[in-house]
Amino acid sequence: MKKNLDKKNQSLFKKFIAYYKPHKKTFALDMLCSFIFSVVGLLYPMLTTQILDVYIPNGMIKEILIMSAVLLAVYFLRAGMNYYINYYGHVMGVKMQSKMRSDLFSHLEKLPYSFYDNNETGQLMARMTNDLFNVSELAHHGPENLFITSFMTVSAFIYLCTISWKLSLIIFAFLPFLILIAWASRKNMTKAFQKSREEIGNINACLENSIAGIRVTKAYANAEHEQERFEKSNMGFVKARSKAYKAMGTFSSSMNFVTSVYNVIVLLAGGLFCIYDSANFDYVDLVAFMLSINLFISPIQTLITFFEQLQDGITGFKRFDDIMVTPVEEDKEDALEVERFEGEIAFENVTFGYDERTVIDDISLTIPKGKTYALVGASGGGKTTLCHLVPKFYPVENGDIKIDGTSIKDITNRSLRQNIGIVQQDVFLFTGTFRDNIAYGDINATEEQIVEAAKKANIHDYIVSLEKGYDTEIGERGIKLSGGQKQRLSIARVFLKNPSILILDEATSALDNATETLIQNALSDLCVGRTTIVVAHRLSTIRNADKIVVINKGKIEESGSHDELIALDGIYKKLHDAQYKDGNLDGLIDCN
């Protein structure tokens, strides 16, 4: 177990180091400046000792002035080194953060649907922003702080030995106590800071959810309820962060106590040396040692303040890596790149489920090219899931799905999905203009093609009636549009894509009758000449489908035309009678 953990940590370290490679020059100069900065820090007590021990007792004013000028020049050089470290070092950290963020976004784009079923948007946003900021701070400050503290500790100890090796050994003997305290506190701090990161993600998830649903909140007058939900997450963060700071406080106060004891030890032991060993250690040596002891203590104090940042950075990179090691969707090595399908779809003994719950149970069904098949049945029966299997949103567990005789497993995801158009009940529109959202169907489309797609979707007239026309902003997720306008915009997007296979998943179920008729006209035009799968609860919309398939509990129970299923007097007949007791069957999608 421990061996595996060590290997994992080594792998994590190698991944982190890899992000330094494009910035080797900046990193090397940063380390050089850190070295000069550290060396310059050693000069002050050395030169001060010389002034106290030689120049002042002998009244050497000229030498005192020269030495002061040297110190001033040294500090000017130190200021230049500090500028480079803080400016270019931080820029390096930001560039590394940017690269990590790009890698993370690219990886997120390639992850399967199932990943997003189990991960909240707010949590992912926290990893993309807060976590990577902490990683970038560690990337910049980590190496230089470790280098400076190590160099200064060793150099200071050597210099202190030149003053009094006996007193230096006494001071050095207390160093293991610091290391022991740091080691003992590390495990608790790691767990505490990991938990606080998760709570920040919970806050982001709650905030994102509440802001996105603010209109629903206002409609139901549930502002107090949302406040309570947010405060619960907020207090969870306070609790987790409090534990982290408790661990940090224990660590910091313990180490500070030990370092403070150094001053007492120096004063006590140094005083005794002055009294009993005055020939080798006098008052000037004691003053020099007390001035120089800070060279030994300061790096340790720097390490104390740096430890929280180290824990935040390590935790952030682990959370970043947790996503980066999540397997992405991959094509087979010899997967085919298909330009356009004829459109025949064959489900062969397909079985699929979520979390050990079977949703699709051994379904076999062939949809000839250019035909329209409707899937009906009770909610949760597996209709939408079956549709999601066609573009490989989820992998088929058992059985196979073939398009034009070729298994979808042997077709690249990109070419497969380029040939499939989907219109859903819950339309997602991007923040931007009408043009932006229509052009999403084909980002290389011309203005004429965009306009033509809008006309086919029956939304062109509305767009041109607006002051800015196609350049009109539609608001976040199309909030400025009605349900029907959103749906027509999504249909225009599919018209522009021009797929050979079309999936209509409850495309009109949330619309009023007048709007539904308008949308149905656009959908009827859209599905002409394409293989179409229609998922519908409203049976009037699929009466003229080439075949209606009744799915119940993941199985095909009935199939046939509308008239055949009515005559069968089975599940479809019961669904039909329950919906249309008055015989009203207006508003049909005719794809023939």
Side-chain angles (χ1 to χ4, degrees), residues 531-545:
T531 304
T532 305
I533 302 176
V534 182
V535 176
H537 280 299
R538 202 176 295 184
L539 302 185
S540 64
T541 61
I542 46 88
R543 186 183 183 190
N544 290 336

Side-chain angles (χ1 to χ4, degrees), residues 48-58 282 284-285:
T48 301
T49 301
Q50 182 72 8
I51 293 172
L52 291 174
D53 199 23
V54 181
Y55 300 155
I56 292 179
N58 294 301
D282 58 17
V284 174
D285 292 327

Side-chain angles (χ1 to χ4, degrees), residues 231-276:
E231 289 302 330
K232 184 178 180 181
S233 298
N234 205 18
M235 290 308 297
F237 167 73
V238 172
K239 185 177 180 180
R241 203 65 180 177
S242 296
K243 288 183 178 179
Y245 283 128
K246 181 180 180 181
M248 186 68 193
T250 301
F251 171 80
S252 180
S253 60
S254 300
M255 293 193 71
N256 273 316
F257 174 76
V258 176
T259 55
S260 297
V261 170
Y262 280 151
N263 291 317
V264 178
I265 294 172
V266 170
L267 183 60
L268 177 60
L272 293 175
F273 286 161
C274 286
I275 295 172
Y276 295 106

Side-chain angles (χ1 to χ4, degrees), residues 515-580:
T515 304
E516 181 184 9
T517 301
L518 188 63
I519 300 298
Q520 285 169 350
N521 291 335
L523 290 176
S524 295
D525 292 338
L526 180 61
C527 65
V528 170
R530 311 178 200 274
T531 304
T532 305
I533 302 176
V534 182
V535 176
H537 280 299
R538 202 176 295 184
L539 302 185
S540 64
T541 61
I542 46 88
R543 186 183 183 190
N544 290 336
D546 293 299
K547 181 173 285 190
I548 300 172
V549 179
V550 180
I551 297 180
N552 183 43
K553 296 181 180 180
K555 291 180 174 291
I556 295 178
E557 298 288 354
E558 301 171 358
S559 66
S561 66
H562 169 77
D563 292 336
E564 288 172 343
L565 292 177
I566 291 293
L568 189 61
D569 195 22
I571 297 175
Y572 181 82
K573 176 72 161 50
K574 292 178 181 178
L575 291 172
H576 177 271
D577 291 345
Q579 286 188 24
Y580 302 105

Side-chain angles (χ1 to χ4, degrees), residues 4 24 42 59 93 136-137 207 216 263 298 305 375 382 427 445 520 538 592:
N4 292 335
K24 291 179 181 177
L42 291 170
S136 73
E137 286 295 289
L207 189 62
V216 177
N263 291 317
S298 293
T305 57
L375 308 181
V427 176
Q520 285 169 350
R538 202 176 295 184
N592 298 312

Side-chain angles (χ1 to χ4, degrees), residues 419-440:
N419 277 279
I420 299 173
I422 302 175
V423 181
Q424 297 174 301
Q425 174 187 342
D426 185 16
V427 176
F428 186 93
L429 299 175
F430 294 92
T431 301
T433 64
F434 281 97
R435 178 183 290 102
D436 295 335
N437 276 276
I438 296 174
Y440 208 78

Side-chain angles (χ1 to χ4, degrees), residues 277-296:
D277 192 19
S278 58
N280 297 315
F281 192 86
D282 58 17
Y283 178 75
V284 174
D285 292 327
L286 178 59
V287 173
F289 204 97
M290 293 187 71
L291 287 172
S292 303
I293 190 63
N294 286 326
L295 293 176
F296 187 75

Side-chain angles (χ1 to χ4, degrees), residues 63-82:
E63 284 75 6
I64 293 173
L65 293 174
I66 292 173
M67 196 62 69
S68 298
V70 171
L71 279 173
L72 187 63
V74 163
Y75 281 123
F76 183 78
L77 175 64
R78 200 173 197 231
M81 299 300 100
N82 194 37

